[in-house]
Amino acid sequence: YAQKVASMSLAKILIASCPSLKTAENKSRPISYASAVEPLEALTAWIVAQLKNAGALVGLCIPALTVLMDAFESRLIFVKSGGVKYISRQLRAATKGTGGDNSKKFGQGSVQQLYELTFCLWILTYELNGSQLVRSEFAKDGAPVQALVDLVALAPREKVVRVALSSLSNLATCTADEDPAPAGSPRLDGRHFLSEMIACGLMKAITLLRDRQFTDPDIVQDVTILHKLLSENYKEMSRWEVYKNEVENGHLKWGSVHTEAFFKENARMMEGPDGDFHIVKVLITLLSSRDEEVAAIACYDLGEFVRHYPNGRAIAKRLGAKELVMPLIEHENPELQRHALQCVSKIMVNNWEYVK
């Protein structure tokens, strides 16, 4: 309790020096922001250290973190410290493994914590248009988008869904015009984040939300906006682009792009424009994913690439697929075990379809 209140009090004292909070009443007061930067950075480092930990310690830093969201300067210090990534990890850890009646999976305390962390992400999304740094932090690893999509899909409480949807809406409509990325860097704007949302399965979640009755008009508005933008973006993407985006974001889900028919049609696309088999390499790294479903789908996709791409067997072996798949044959998850065994069989046996 002492740590929680002390950190919150310190945050309130320090952000009083931030120029963005200066009003006509306090402009005359001799407050030096320069002298507050170092302690602000130290407090932010302490908050990030708590966010890195799993468990009850996270609650210690949330009041101070919420206070830091009040000032533009402290928000940027938090983003530079990698804070977006660590909030996203906390949200993903909290929602992982829930199912069934999701509202019963979260106690009141944990729902409040989810809400406050999501609220902080939501505040940060208002800096997207003006800061290339903020956009790049939200684009890292696909974790922030995945965390927000998980919250929308699980819907622990209406207030959590509201701020998650609003955050996604801000991401979907952001632009890169005000502070563009350096020359040669990929353009990160609403289109990029919409592609991530499609890969994370937001289309299905939004479709389900459209059928629900919400009392909050903000939720209805955000659901309508996101459904329209997702539908338009999805129509513009080919099936290969949907698949490529899903693999690159590491959010593999069983569907029409993980079928024999898809690989018969698109096996040649696995070469990539530079002929470096980038997508195959990413699939091989996904064999080590902690998410067992992702690893199982990666096994299936690699096996189908081997079957349908000329000399795919030799390419998969050269890139090290066999060495990573072999240990999965003894995995405790029977589904992953089955797909790993089939993948190894496809790599080893010339006419696999005759022995399957």
Side-chain angles (χ1 to χ4, degrees):
Y1 180 77
Q3 279 187 302
K4 183 189 286 189
V5 178
S7 59
M8 182 177 67
S9 302
L10 181 59
K12 285 182 176 288
I13 292 167
L14 291 173
I15 69 162
S17 66
C18 292
S20 62
L21 294 185
K22 294 285 179 71
T23 64
E25 295 173 0
N26 64 17
K27 273 185 179 176
S28 59
R29 294 168 62 191
I31 300 175
S32 169
Y33 173 63
S35 64
V37 171
E38 191 175 332
L40 262 174
E41 289 174 344
L43 176 60
T44 302
W46 177 82
I47 290 170
V48 168
Q50 310 313 309
L51 288 171
K52 285 181 183 179
N53 298 318
L57 288 177
V58 176
L60 289 178
C61 68
I62 291 178
L65 174 60
T66 306
V67 171
L68 291 186
M69 293 300 107
D70 285 347
F72 168 75
E73 294 81 4
S74 51
R75 290 196 290 271
L76 283 191
I77 289 173
F78 179 73
V79 171
K80 286 177 184 175
S81 302
V84 171
K85 173 175 66 178
Y86 293 114
I87 288 182
S88 303
R89 285 184 182 177
Q90 285 294 335
L91 291 173
R92 291 213 65 194
T95 55
K96 201 73 175 169
T98 56
D101 185 357
N102 299 310
S103 63
K104 293 180 181 177
K105 297 288 183 181
F106 300 95
Q108 187 54 46
S110 63
V111 168
Q112 186 59 25
Q113 193 164 293
L114 279 177
Y115 172 72
E116 289 169 356
L117 288 172
T118 312
F119 175 85
C120 292
L121 269 191
W122 172 61
I123 294 292
L124 293 172
T125 60
Y126 284 94
E127 306 301 340
L128 287 164
N129 289 347
S131 172
Q132 189 270 333
L133 169 69
V134 175
R135 290 195 300 277
S136 65
E137 287 297 310
F138 269 93
K140 272 186 182 175
D141 307 323
V145 169
Q146 181 67 66
L148 291 166
V149 171
D150 287 347
L151 287 170
V152 171
L154 292 166
R157 293 287 191 282
E158 190 168 302
K159 65 180 182 179
V160 179
V161 174
R162 182 177 68 246
V163 286
L165 279 172
S166 186
S167 302
L168 289 167
S169 181
N170 287 346
L171 285 162
T173 55
C174 73
T175 67
D177 301 332
E178 199 174 320
D179 182 23
S185 301
R187 182 181 175 86
L188 300 175
D189 56 12
R191 185 177 173 80
H192 170 87
F193 291 113
L194 279 165
S195 297
E196 279 196 8
M197 292 172 205
I198 290 170
C200 295
L202 185 61
M203 283 279 286
K204 180 180 177 182
I206 288 292
T207 302
L208 292 172
L209 286 180
R210 291 184 80 203
D211 296 330
R212 289 179 55 182
Q213 297 297 318
F214 289 103
T215 55
D216 190 329
D218 289 342
I219 292 181
V220 177
Q221 182 180 351
D222 284 330
V223 166
T224 303
I225 290 170
L226 283 168
H227 184 268
K228 180 174 181 290
L229 291 173
L230 287 166
S231 299
E232 290 172 354
N233 203 59
Y234 190 80
K235 285 175 186 174
E236 292 174 12
M237 294 172 75
S238 67
R239 282 220 306 166
W240 169 252
E241 286 174 321
V242 171
Y243 176 76
K244 179 174 175 286
N245 197 48
E246 191 176 306
V247 173
E248 288 179 336
N249 283 290
H251 308 308
L252 305 185
K253 298 287 183 188
W254 290 112
S256 62
V257 294
H258 304 286
T259 59
E260 182 179 4
F262 175 80
F263 281 93
K264 274 184 177 177
E265 183 184 334
N266 293 284
R268 289 278 185 182
M269 299 293 287
M270 301 288 274
E271 293 174 3
D274 302 320
D276 60 353
F277 294 93
H278 169 68
I279 293 297
V280 179
K281 292 174 183 175
V282 177
L283 281 173
I284 291 170
T285 64
L286 292 176
L287 293 170
S288 304
S289 173
R290 292 181 185 177
D291 188 320
E292 293 168 3
E293 183 182 49
V294 169
I297 297 172
C299 286
Y300 177 83
D301 287 5
L302 283 167
E304 289 302 285
F305 163 72
V306 164
R307 286 181 64 206
H308 297 291
Y309 186 84
N311 206 29
R313 185 174 291 103
I315 292 163
K317 285 180 181 177
R318 176 169 58 82
L319 295 175
K322 182 183 165 187
E323 288 76 12
L324 287 176
V325 176
M326 287 294 282
L328 298 177
I329 293 174
E330 298 178 1
H331 199 280
E332 57 188 20
N333 183 321
E335 189 71 7
L336 176 51
Q337 188 183 86
R338 180 171 68 86
H339 284 291
L341 183 59
Q342 288 185 351
C343 182
V344 171
S345 301
K346 291 170 186 176
I347 292 173
M348 302 296 290
V349 181
N350 284 330
N351 296 312
W352 178 82
E353 58 271 20
Y354 295 121
V355 296
K356 66 179 177 179

